PDB file of all heavy atoms in Angstrom:
ATOM      1  N   LEU A 459      12.573  49.192-114.220  1.00 98.00           N
ATOM      2  CA  LEU A 459      11.211  49.105-114.752  1.00 98.00           C
ATOM      3  C   LEU A 459      10.267  49.903-113.844  1.00 98.00           C
ATOM      4  O   LEU A 459       9.749  49.398-112.858  1.00 98.00           O
ATOM      5  CB  LEU A 459      10.784  47.635-114.862  1.00 98.00           C
ATOM      6  CG  LEU A 459      11.780  46.778-115.666  1.00 98.00           C
ATOM      7  CD1 LEU A 459      11.367  45.309-115.675  1.00 98.00           C
ATOM      8  CD2 LEU A 459      11.914  47.300-117.092  1.00 98.00           C
ATOM      9  N   MET A 460      10.121  51.168-114.189  1.00 97.00           N
ATOM     10  CA  MET A 460       9.394  52.111-113.326  1.00 97.00           C
ATOM     11  C   MET A 460       7.978  52.381-113.836  1.00 97.00           C
ATOM     12  O   MET A 460       7.233  53.101-113.192  1.00 97.00           O
ATOM     13  CB  MET A 460      10.129  53.454-113.301  1.00 97.00           C
ATOM     14  CG  MET A 460      11.608  53.399-113.002  1.00 97.00           C
ATOM     15  SD  MET A 460      11.998  52.960-111.316  1.00 97.00           S
ATOM     16  CE  MET A 460      11.514  54.429-110.416  1.00 97.00           C
ATOM     17  N   ASN A 461       7.642  51.883-115.010  1.00 98.00           N
ATOM     18  CA  ASN A 461       6.424  52.315-115.691  1.00 98.00           C
ATOM     19  C   ASN A 461       5.436  51.157-115.786  1.00 98.00           C
ATOM     20  O   ASN A 461       5.746  50.134-116.413  1.00 98.00           O
ATOM     21  CB  ASN A 461       6.810  52.805-117.105  1.00 98.00           C
ATOM     22  CG  ASN A 461       5.660  53.470-117.834  1.00 98.00           C
ATOM     23  OD1 ASN A 461       4.491  53.252-117.515  1.00 98.00           O
ATOM     24  ND2 ASN A 461       6.005  54.283-118.813  1.00 98.00           N
ATOM     25  N   PRO A 462       4.243  51.297-115.212  1.00 98.00           N
ATOM     26  CA  PRO A 462       3.268  50.198-115.287  1.00 98.00           C
ATOM     27  C   PRO A 462       2.758  49.944-116.707  1.00 98.00           C
ATOM     28  O   PRO A 462       2.021  48.977-116.927  1.00 98.00           O
ATOM     29  CB  PRO A 462       2.143  50.644-114.342  1.00 98.00           C
ATOM     30  CG  PRO A 462       2.295  52.100-114.208  1.00 98.00           C
ATOM     31  CD  PRO A 462       3.741  52.430-114.428  1.00 98.00           C
ATOM     32  N   LEU A 463       3.158  50.808-117.649  1.00 98.00           N
ATOM     33  CA  LEU A 463       2.733  50.582-119.039  1.00 98.00           C
ATOM     34  C   LEU A 463       3.778  49.802-119.834  1.00 98.00           C
ATOM     35  O   LEU A 463       3.548  49.437-120.990  1.00 98.00           O
ATOM     36  CB  LEU A 463       2.446  51.925-119.712  1.00 98.00           C
ATOM     37  CG  LEU A 463       1.239  52.665-119.115  1.00 98.00           C
ATOM     38  CD1 LEU A 463       1.244  54.128-119.509  1.00 98.00           C
ATOM     39  CD2 LEU A 463      -0.053  52.005-119.537  1.00 98.00           C
ATOM     40  N   THR A 464       4.933  49.539-119.238  1.00 98.00           N
ATOM     41  CA  THR A 464       5.933  48.697-119.900  1.00 98.00           C
ATOM     42  C   THR A 464       5.469  47.241-119.797  1.00 98.00           C
ATOM     43  O   THR A 464       5.016  46.804-118.738  1.00 98.00           O
ATOM     44  CB  THR A 464       7.306  48.855-119.218  1.00 98.00           C
ATOM     45  OG1 THR A 464       7.684  50.223-119.277  1.00 98.00           O
ATOM     46  CG2 THR A 464       8.374  48.017-119.908  1.00 98.00           C
ATOM     47  N   THR A 465       5.582  46.511-120.917  1.00 98.00           N
ATOM     48  CA  THR A 465       5.076  45.141-120.933  1.00 98.00           C
ATOM     49  C   THR A 465       6.188  44.146-121.269  1.00 98.00           C
ATOM     50  O   THR A 465       7.279  44.535-121.687  1.00 98.00           O
ATOM     51  CB  THR A 465       3.987  44.969-122.017  1.00 98.00           C
ATOM     52  OG1 THR A 465       4.603  45.232-123.292  1.00 98.00           O
ATOM     53  CG2 THR A 465       2.831  45.921-121.795  1.00 98.00           C
ATOM     54  N   ARG A 466       5.848  42.893-121.120  1.00 98.00           N
ATOM     55  CA  ARG A 466       6.754  41.814-121.507  1.00 98.00           C
ATOM     56  C   ARG A 466       7.159  41.949-122.981  1.00 98.00           C
ATOM     57  O   ARG A 466       8.313  41.734-123.339  1.00 98.00           O
ATOM     58  CB  ARG A 466       6.041  40.469-121.269  1.00 98.00           C
ATOM     59  CG  ARG A 466       6.910  39.288-121.568  1.00 98.00           C
ATOM     60  CD  ARG A 466       6.141  37.982-121.595  1.00 98.00           C
ATOM     61  NE  ARG A 466       6.997  36.999-122.242  1.00 98.00           N
ATOM     62  CZ  ARG A 466       7.829  36.202-121.579  1.00 98.00           C
ATOM     63  NH1 ARG A 466       7.862  36.212-120.277  1.00 98.00           N
ATOM     64  NH2 ARG A 466       8.621  35.371-122.239  1.00 98.00           N
ATOM     65  N   GLU A 467       6.194  42.345-123.821  1.00 98.00           N
ATOM     66  CA  GLU A 467       6.474  42.499-125.260  1.00 98.00           C
ATOM     67  C   GLU A 467       7.515  43.601-125.494  1.00 98.00           C
ATOM     68  O   GLU A 467       8.377  43.485-126.370  1.00 98.00           O
ATOM     69  CB  GLU A 467       5.198  42.814-126.045  1.00 98.00           C
ATOM     70  CG  GLU A 467       4.217  41.649-126.163  1.00 98.00           C
ATOM     71  CD  GLU A 467       3.549  41.280-124.840  1.00 98.00           C
ATOM     72  OE1 GLU A 467       3.197  42.211-124.072  1.00 98.00           O
ATOM     73  OE2 GLU A 467       3.390  40.071-124.556  1.00 98.00           O
TER      74      GLU A 467
END
Side-chain angles (χ1 to χ4, degrees):
L459 306 176
M460 310 290 289
N461 189 338
L463 294 163
T464 301
T465 62
R466 183 191 165 92
E467 289 69 40

